[in-house]
Amino acid sequence: MTSSLASVRASVGGRWKRIQKKHRPKVSRYYSRPLSPDDPDRSVNGFRFVEADHDNLARLKASFPKELSDRKRDILAQRIQDPSEDAWMILDEGDRLCGFACLAWDDHEVKLMQHTIRVRPHQALFMDDYVFKKHRRRGAQSAAVELRVGLAAAHGRTEGLVLVSTTNLGSISSYRKAGFQTCGRLIHFPTSKRTLEFWIPRPLRHG
């Protein structure tokens, strides 16, 4: 009887945690940094970019069939076709595919949050950072941030902007290391499908 009651409690408790997780607000932070024409755009610590196309996307899917889900692959395929966005594959010093990264040059819709991020004419939006598990802890993500800083500056943009979930500690670390500072917050309420956006005045911004 005791074990049966404990089992019921565990089941109810697990269900309640799943409900809480599903309806809990999703919090992300905006980070930004000035861009300079002197920023590198060729190679960083042996890592470099190759522009994404459908051939190397197929190669990426073949190399990482489980990690690169069909949804992620389809999103990258859309990035390749969209003239307001650019996508790159990350290569290491041995020309091995390590991951991918993107930039948006115009307003960008975050479909999961039903929210559009406004990208001003002087800004570039950093997004879709991903390094495959076997290539992590080698500096690939930090290099991908720095490479896009240079590419965005070469494109004539003077400010980089990124939105990162507060739970994504790896990306937060990489962007802070690259000089990005907190500049706002986005809170999404899944139950009501509402999203609130807050911006920090420039004199008050800090890391």
Side-chain angles (χ1 to χ4, degrees):
M1 180 70 176
T2 303
S3 61
S4 177
L5 182 58
S7 176
V8 170
R9 284 176 175 172
S11 176
V12 171
R15 189 185 310 167
W16 176 243
K17 287 181 179 179
R18 288 193 295 272
I19 292 172
Q20 283 184 312
K21 184 177 180 180
K22 180 179 179 181
H23 296 282
R24 184 183 301 138
K26 313 296 183 185
V27 182
S28 302
R29 287 196 181 96
Y30 283 108
Y31 298 86
S32 68
R33 64 155 281 181
L35 304 179
S36 165
D38 297 327
D39 289 316
D41 65 349
R42 298 287 181 182
S43 177
V44 175
N45 297 330
F47 294 97
R48 63 185 179 87
F49 276 163
V50 59
E51 191 169 351
D53 58 28
H54 291 290
D55 288 339
N56 56 36
L57 180 56
R59 179 183 160 203
L60 199 67
K61 179 64 175 174
S63 300
F64 304 96
K66 293 183 179 179
E67 225 173 321
L68 184 67
S69 66
D70 290 343
R71 186 183 71 84
K72 288 180 182 176
R73 180 200 57 199
D74 292 344
I75 289 173
L76 281 174
Q78 292 172 13
R79 302 274 189 258
I80 293 170
Q81 297 292 344
D82 192 333
S84 69
E85 300 173 348
D86 282 325
W88 294 274
M89 304 298 181
I90 308 168
L91 298 180
D92 67 7
E93 63 280 357
D95 285 342
R96 292 179 289 265
L97 288 168
C98 299
F100 52 86
C102 303
L103 284 173
W105 308 107
D106 205 345
D107 294 353
H108 175 71
E109 182 185 359
V110 184
K111 292 182 179 179
L112 290 176
M113 296 184 181
Q114 298 178 325
H115 177 77
T116 298
I117 299 174
R118 183 178 181 188
V119 181
R120 299 175 185 275
H122 70 283
Q123 294 176 324
L125 179 66
F126 291 57
M127 57 186 189
D128 293 344
D129 302 63
Y130 192 82
V131 174
F132 292 98
K133 293 176 182 177
K134 66 181 290 185
H135 294 290
R136 291 177 185 173
R137 301 187 182 280
R138 296 168 50 212
Q141 184 173 11
S142 292
V145 174
E146 292 286 0
L147 286 168
R148 280 175 294 165
V149 163
L151 288 165
H155 199 80
R157 303 300 167 103
T158 58
E159 183 182 16
L161 182 69
V162 65
L163 179 68
V164 186
S165 168
T166 54
T167 62
N168 192 343
L169 301 182
S171 285
I172 291 172
S173 176
S174 294
Y175 278 100
R176 282 182 168 171
K177 182 180 177 182
F180 282 74
Q181 297 183 335
T182 306
C183 64
R185 180 175 292 190
L186 195 73
I187 304 174
H188 176 66
F189 299 88
T191 305
S192 62
K193 298 182 179 179
R194 294 182 61 214
T195 301
L196 302 179
E197 191 174 64
F198 305 92
W199 294 95
I200 301 173
R202 286 190 180 276
L204 300 179
R205 294 180 184 181
H206 56 80

